[in-house]
Amino acid sequence: GAVVSQHPSRVICKSGTSVKIECRSLDFQATTMFWYRQFPKKSLMLMATSNEGSKATYEQGVEKDKFLINHASLTLSTLTVTSAHPEDSSFYICSARVRGRSNEQFFGPGTRLTVL
Amino acid sequence: AQSVTQPDIHITVSEGASLELRCNYSYGATPYLFWYVQSPGQGLQLLLKYFSGDTLVQGIKGFEAEFKRSQSSFNLRKPSVHWSDAAEYFCAVASAGGTSYGKLTFGQGTILTVHP
């Protein structure tokens, strides 16, 4: 149980376009989902916390208008990278917190974004 | 603010040898502590966690970790390493309360190489 999926696993896009990444909890309800960014050979940096039905809370330094997060249901959160630039190229990972087990997060497999 | 330090960026061991990965944390109260493993291009898999109780916790794949409050440490150990253990390992701490409840802060990661 507690499986989190992400789609797509890899995406390549041109500068200036927008890319949407989906994060789904497959077998549980996720009250909260988190979005992380991981640079090559670096640790994970929390970008934002997404609660179902409410606005996301962004970490300091993360541009809200550039990284749009929507958490429309208890099983789906989306991250849209708007007007992508090459410096947005990174590995994006989501995680979901299980309703009733609020101390644990389960991670998706990640999405590799390359902006040309 | 909470923080995690993994002093060793890269560790190399021989297959069958014992392993210890170091993790030191900074947190004002009793933390929630985690060890995750990440294979290249993949998401994170939870190895083990500590919330309370017995300070020696057992995880998957033969890993264990010991919480030492006096040393602010949560080192990961394995008595005999297998070649398949080669990966990157992340220690993380989560807030047990307050406005940052449940947010994970990761260490820098330790890359484990296993020689045959």
Side-chain angles (χ1 to χ4, degrees), chain A residues 7-69:
Chain A
H7 178 79
S9 57
R10 288 179 176 272
V11 58
I12 300 173
C13 69
K14 294 182 179 180
S15 289
T17 61
S18 294
V19 174
K20 180 184 284 188
I21 302 170
E22 293 186 348
C23 177
R24 292 182 185 272
S25 56
L26 297 185
D27 52 1
F28 65 98
Q29 291 184 330
T31 52
T32 303
M33 289 183 170
F34 301 87
W35 286 96
Y36 296 86
R37 182 173 179 176
Q38 186 177 29
F39 292 98
K41 302 188 185 300
K42 296 288 186 182
S43 187
L44 283 78
M45 301 298 295
L46 179 64
M47 298 174 65
T49 303
S50 166
N51 292 299
E52 186 264 340
S54 63
K55 290 185 178 180
T57 302
Y58 291 81
E59 296 299 302
Q60 193 171 8
V62 177
E63 299 176 60
K64 302 178 184 181
D65 295 331
K66 178 160 194 61
F67 298 101
L68 301 179
I69 291 173

Side-chain angles (χ1 to χ4, degrees), chain B residues 3 5 12 18 20 27 29 31 41 50 56 64 69 71-72 78 83 86 93 98 100 109 113:
Chain B
S3 65
T5 301
T12 300
S18 62
E20 182 170 33
Y27 185 67
Y50 172 79
L56 183 63
E64 66 176 28
R69 184 190 301 276
Q71 298 176 20
S72 297
K78 186 170 185 177
W83 64 267
V93 61
S100 298
T113 298

Side-chain angles (χ1 to χ4, degrees), chain A residues 38 43 59 97 102-103 105 109, chain B residues 32 34 38 43 101-103 107:
Chain A
Q38 186 177 29
S43 187
E59 296 299 302
R97 196 155 68 192
S102 54
N103 299 330
Q105 294 179 30
Chain B
Y32 297 146
F34 306 82
Q38 184 181 35
Y101 175 67
K103 284 187 181 179

